Amino acid sequence: MNRLLRFAAPHAVEVIDLPRAELSPGEVRVRTLYSGISAGTELTAYRGTNPYLTSQWDPEIRLFRGGADSGQLAYPLDGWGYSEVGEVIEIAEPEGGLPADAPRVGDRVWGIWGHRAEGVLTIEALRGHVLPEGLDPVAAAFVRVGAIALNGVLAADLGVGSTVVIFGQGVIGLLATRFAALNGATVFAVDGIPARREAALRWGATHALAPDADLALTLRELTGGAGADAAIELSGNYHALHSAVRAVGADGTVVASGFYQGEATPLHLGEEFHHNRVQLLASQIGSAPNRLRARWDVPRLQRTVVDALADGRVDAASLVTHRYRLDDAAEAYRLLDTDPPAALQVVLEF
């Protein structure tokens, strides 16, 4: 049997048993070692706020359609999770044999197969996903979230001498802070949780600030009156997004990387956004920023993160604050939902 995490209803987590799937030629069976829980996207499914529950995404015209009772997804929701690490235990070779860069039995790999004891993936899906020798496998649970962070940093077009304000210093925010600092930018980190501000300083921020009413004025003082060149918003909070608009100076760029839910009532677009000609960009892991798409794609983002994990530039494993067995997953989600300051990365151990 294969054990699998299920959202039976909003705020209801179960672990179910499913029959073990047979492999078809060209498929790989992976025994899960670790699976990281996303405190953003996954909680929208846990809480019942994900837009796919009430709308249909049309990939051809790239619009959500429909309203209540027309959702693309419905409870129970099985197999959520996108930060898995495991060991290849079985391969069904395709006709013609395995490609030279295909994983082999015994290899440790990272990928996306959800919170389940075993994943079945195509060989193609795992090409280039073998962990480098010596890399702590739990660190590889950060490849996908690291790519989200790196994508936002690339969208902000940072370099030596640039200034950036990064809102939200959870896992993805801290990774973005690290990548921005590695790019040579001066980083002002913003978070309401003191422990996360302290972590941001360790991860490369020059200043770590609380999101108070004077934040925009403080940032003007720290930047000689100019405001920041760019801001990256990673919390998914509309108040933070509005603060990000106020944080940048004239012709500044705001990168919205959070997964926003509901109406954006805190935004006041007739104020600084309009008068400072602020450029607002969405960053989402489906593709690289427009200006880079000839040379960057999602696999390159992920390879870059793996390289940074492997050579020690990013110590992602140190972000793990809680580990739970799959049977205790409901407790893990309750923690993230009700006491966000208590945790950074929560990992399920198999």
Side-chain angles (χ1 to χ4, degrees), residues 38-57:
S38 157
T41 301
E42 283 189 60
L43 283 190
T44 69
Y46 176 78
R47 292 167 173 160
T49 62
N50 191 284
Y52 285 91
L53 292 166
T54 54
S55 302
Q56 294 272 347
W57 172 248

Side-chain angles (χ1 to χ4, degrees), residues 83 138-147 171 175 305 309 316-317 319-320 345:
S83 299
V138 77
F142 291 83
V143 175
R144 189 71 170 178
V145 291
V171 171
L175 290 167
V305 173
L309 295 171
L319 296 177
V320 176
Q345 183 63 58

